[in-house]
Amino acid sequence: MTAVHGTVVDLVTVDGVVDAYLAHPADGVPRPAVLFCMDAFGLRPHLRGMADRLAAAGYTVLVPNLFHRAGRAPVVELPDFIDLAERPEIVRQLAPAARTLTPDAAMRDAAVYLDWLAASPLTTAGPAGVTGYCVGAGFALRVAGTHPDRVAAVAGFHGAHLATDAPDSPHLVAGRVTAELYFGHADQDVTNPAEQIARLGLALTEAGVRHRAEVYEGAHHGFTQADTAAYGAEASERHWSALLDLFARAL
């Protein structure tokens, strides 16, 4: 395994300072840039570990605290392991922070993250890759549609509310996407039911977007998150294979 260096960095935006985690191969050689978009539980040790694994595969990975308007991470106190009984209360506590991440605010932030990665001596020239989880999957899709010339590949896993009836639903950016996309959906996911999976697929197909979507049977919302009761080891490893395959091909 490639040795990895991880550090906390602060990024300045018009809305304040964003705390973020940066992981990259320890040799300091420039690598393709990856923007890693967190799940709703936010920037914490498990996500840092995921970023380290991705960096060890040969990438420079930035994991910003998407809820920075509500404070530095963690914006609410989190247990080491989030079980089913605790989950609803933690989600309730996080709701105000989540509401700060409006589509407009999110894409203002995204421009800063992409600028920071492009300017870093640790990244190679060229478009970035983006991966997102839960709320981060919708964020990642919006990035692809808002900054099409700056993004080569996007992956989203157990994404939430990707193709709703709302006038600002993430799937409505499909017509502006030029990146290659991959989605790994959970079939036990109330935040992303079958009708939304179909709506997203249709939008991407009609827009001519290169994409592949798979439904992971038996997987729950949050299947990549080993510090939660939703974790599924088989589905998580499947996600890693799909993600690394996409980035190896596109970046």
Side-chain angles (χ1 to χ4, degrees):
M1 290 290 290
T2 300
V4 168
H5 179 71
T7 187
V8 175
V9 296
D10 284 349
L11 288 63
V12 178
T13 77
V14 296
D15 296 326
V17 175
V18 182
D19 52 311
Y21 180 71
L22 179 69
H24 59 88
D27 59 13
V29 174
R31 299 306 208 286
V34 172
L35 175 60
F36 185 118
C37 307
M38 67 185 210
D39 68 339
F41 294 130
L43 184 52
R44 60 196 192 280
H46 175 64
L47 290 197
R48 294 185 183 97
M50 292 180 71
D52 288 349
R53 179 168 175 176
L54 189 51
Y59 301 95
T60 293
V61 185
L62 182 70
V63 192
N65 169 21
L66 302 185
F67 296 162
H68 63 91
R69 291 171 182 82
R72 297 182 73 88
V75 297
V76 302
E77 185 176 353
L78 296 172
D80 292 336
F81 183 82
I82 300 170
D83 63 25
L84 291 176
E86 294 171 305
R87 188 183 187 100
E89 174 58 20
I90 294 172
V91 170
R92 185 193 67 78
Q93 292 177 28
L94 284 166
R99 286 194 290 270
T100 68
L101 195 67
T102 65
D104 286 346
M107 291 306 97
R108 285 200 306 274
D109 291 347
V112 173
Y113 305 152
L114 293 173
D115 285 346
W116 193 93
L117 282 166
S120 172
L122 295 169
T123 63
T124 55
V130 186
T131 186
Y133 303 83
C134 179
V135 295
F139 186 102
L141 179 54
R142 290 189 197 279
V143 175
T146 306
H147 303 283
D149 58 330
R150 308 187 68 181
V151 177
V154 170
F157 299 94
H158 46 84
H161 313 298
L162 295 176
T164 70
D165 293 326
D168 58 359
S169 174
H171 79 288
L172 297 176
V173 306
R176 303 194 298 273
V177 172
T178 60
E180 182 178 353
L181 308 186
Y182 174 88
F183 288 95
H185 303 297
D187 73 344
Q188 307 291 313
D189 191 346
V190 297
T191 73
N192 190 36
E195 59 268 23
Q196 289 197 38
I197 293 173
R199 185 180 295 142
L200 173 62
L202 179 62
L204 295 175
T205 298
E206 289 183 340
V209 177
R210 293 168 297 156
H211 73 282
R212 182 161 65 100
E214 297 181 306
V215 178
Y216 293 16
E217 293 185 8
H220 295 269
H221 181 74
F223 61 77
T224 63
Q225 304 302 303
D227 60 348
T228 79
Y231 178 67
E234 182 177 346
S236 180
E237 287 306 308
R238 181 177 175 182
H239 128 269
W240 280 113
S241 295
L243 178 62
L244 293 175
D245 177 70
L246 173 67
F247 283 175
R249 183 171 60 252
L251 298 183

